[in-house]
Structure formats: C-alpha cells, structure tokens
Amino acid sequence: MHRAKEGSSSDDVQRGKFEEINQTRMQKISRLKRELQLLTTEPPPGIMCWQTEGQMDDLRAHIIGGSGTPFEGGVFLLEIKVPERYPFEPPQIRYLTPIYHPNIDNAGRICHDALKLPPKGAWKPSLNIPTVLTFLQLMMAEPNPDDPLMADISSEFKYNKQLYLDKARKWTQKHAMQKNIGVVESKEDGKKEEKSLSRKRDTPSGQEQPGVGPQEPKRGCV
C-alpha cells in the first residue's frame, strides 16, 4: 500500500511537469500567432518577418537600411530562433547578411540589452519580436560604440567616423544590394532572397550569445 502511494505521488509530479510544459508551449504558440499576424497586417516601416517552411519558432526577417545611414538601399536578412520559454526568454536573433557595425560581429551576433535577460539585459515578456526588430533598426542608424562586439569598428566610429561610414557603405553595396530587387512579396520569394543576400559566416570560437514605439533599452554587452 505504501509503495503504491509513492508511485502515485511520483506520477502526479510527472503529470504536473508535463502539464506545465504543455501550458508554456501553448502560451508560446498563441503569442507567436498574434505577433506574426501583427507583422503581416501592420509591419513596422522597413521591416518584414515570416515563417520558414511553416516552422513557427524558426523565423526570418528583413530590415531595410534607413535613409541617411551607410546602410541605405540595403536589405538585411536576419535569423530568429524562438526559445521554448518565449516570451519569458528573449528570441535569439542574428544577422545573416554581413554588416559593418560596432554592435554586430562577424557571426551576425548582436549586442543589445533587449536580447538578454536581467540583470545583464532588459528583456521582459511585454516586449515582442516586432518591437525588438524596431530596436535593431534603430541600432543600425545609431550604433553604441561604448559597448561593442567589434572593438576595431567601434574605434573607427569614435575616432575616424568617415572611414567607418565609407567601409559600412562598401559592405552594404557588396553584401546587402546584390540582386536586390526590393522587399520580397511572398514566403517563396523570401527563400530565394535568403540565398542571394546571405553568405556563410565564420563563427568565432566561444559560446554564441543570443542573439532585438516604447523606449529602447540601453544597449550593452558587458
């Protein structure tokens, strides 16, 4: 009798864990459906986002370089991986299109507080993917050289800004404007565009950091 009670208690614990995991997943799916609908019907200016082959937690996005920036005319492709505990954990975002920027490294990893949990970051469940993409669009126009991922580019930005601007424009012309016919019109076009705009990046040694309106959180990588 005693062993039967112990077995029943263990089953209850396992059942409770399963129900908790299932509830978290349902919250994630419901949240992502709303965000994808918002990105379809009311996308932020210069931004679009779509699913890859029906995978709701594997997204792609385009950010169009802003007018008056060295990225003007470029279309930058991003990869978005949505973790199981979203929105309680931030999305993992990286640039697939090479970009010359103090806060984005050669692997496309991004230094932005909105992509990290407190206390080092500023992610909170009230943020969402459209908002984070808007933050990244703003970061492209206004880099934060005081908390860089690329120290050499940060130094150029602070002490030889014209050189930084010239290099950033050249990278944009080389990598973000090849076969650039503007914003894609469909998911199928997005797949083709992904192949033409992105190139394989060399991932530096060490563990990748996850890699993204309301007031923007402070950007920092310390």
Side-chain angles (χ1 to χ4, degrees), residues 55-167:
Q55 298 296 318
M56 190 170 289
D57 55 1
D58 186 9
L59 310 177
R60 295 293 182 271
H62 275 153
I63 295 181
I64 299 176
S67 176
T69 74
F71 312 110
E72 183 175 358
V75 178
F76 296 84
L77 180 67
L78 291 83
E79 174 189 75
I80 304 171
K81 299 289 188 180
V82 185
E84 281 299 321
R85 286 186 49 78
Y86 184 81
F88 304 104
E89 293 180 2
Q92 299 174 7
I93 305 178
R94 71 184 184 107
Y95 280 75
L96 297 180
T97 304
I99 181 171
Y100 196 81
H101 193 287
N103 305 113
I104 305 166
D105 72 8
N106 289 332
R109 297 176 299 187
I110 303 164
C111 174
H112 198 297
D113 273 6
L115 295 175
K116 294 181 293 184
L117 287 168
K120 293 184 177 181
W123 173 262
K124 51 188 177 182
S126 59
L127 295 177
N128 57 35
I129 291 172
T131 301
V132 171
L133 290 174
T134 302
F135 289 163
L136 297 183
Q137 186 182 50
L138 178 60
M139 185 189 73
M140 289 171 62
E142 299 179 6
N144 179 15
D146 295 324
D147 284 300
L149 281 180
M150 304 295 285
D152 53 342
I153 301 178
S154 173
S155 180
E156 283 180 2
F157 183 86
K158 290 195 286 187
Y159 304 116
N160 194 345
K161 193 168 185 179
Q162 189 57 50
L163 178 61
Y164 160 76
L165 292 173
D166 290 344
K167 288 184 177 180

Side-chain angles (χ1 to χ4, degrees), residues 39 43-50 59-65 74-80 93-97 129-130 133-134 136-137 140 175-176 178-198:
L39 282 162
I47 293 172
M48 68 176 302
C49 183
W50 65 95
L59 310 177
R60 295 293 182 271
H62 275 153
I63 295 181
I64 299 176
V75 178
F76 296 84
L77 180 67
L78 291 83
E79 174 189 75
I80 304 171
I93 305 178
R94 71 184 184 107
Y95 280 75
L96 297 180
T97 304
I129 291 172
L133 290 174
T134 302
L136 297 183
Q137 186 182 50
M140 289 171 62
H175 300 295
Q178 291 178 341
K179 299 180 182 178
N180 178 10
I181 57 173
V183 178
V184 294
E185 298 294 338
S186 69
K187 297 174 187 176
E188 186 63 33
D189 288 341
K191 296 171 191 173
K192 296 176 183 177
E193 195 77 359
E194 178 177 343
K195 294 178 181 178
S196 65
L197 288 177
S198 64

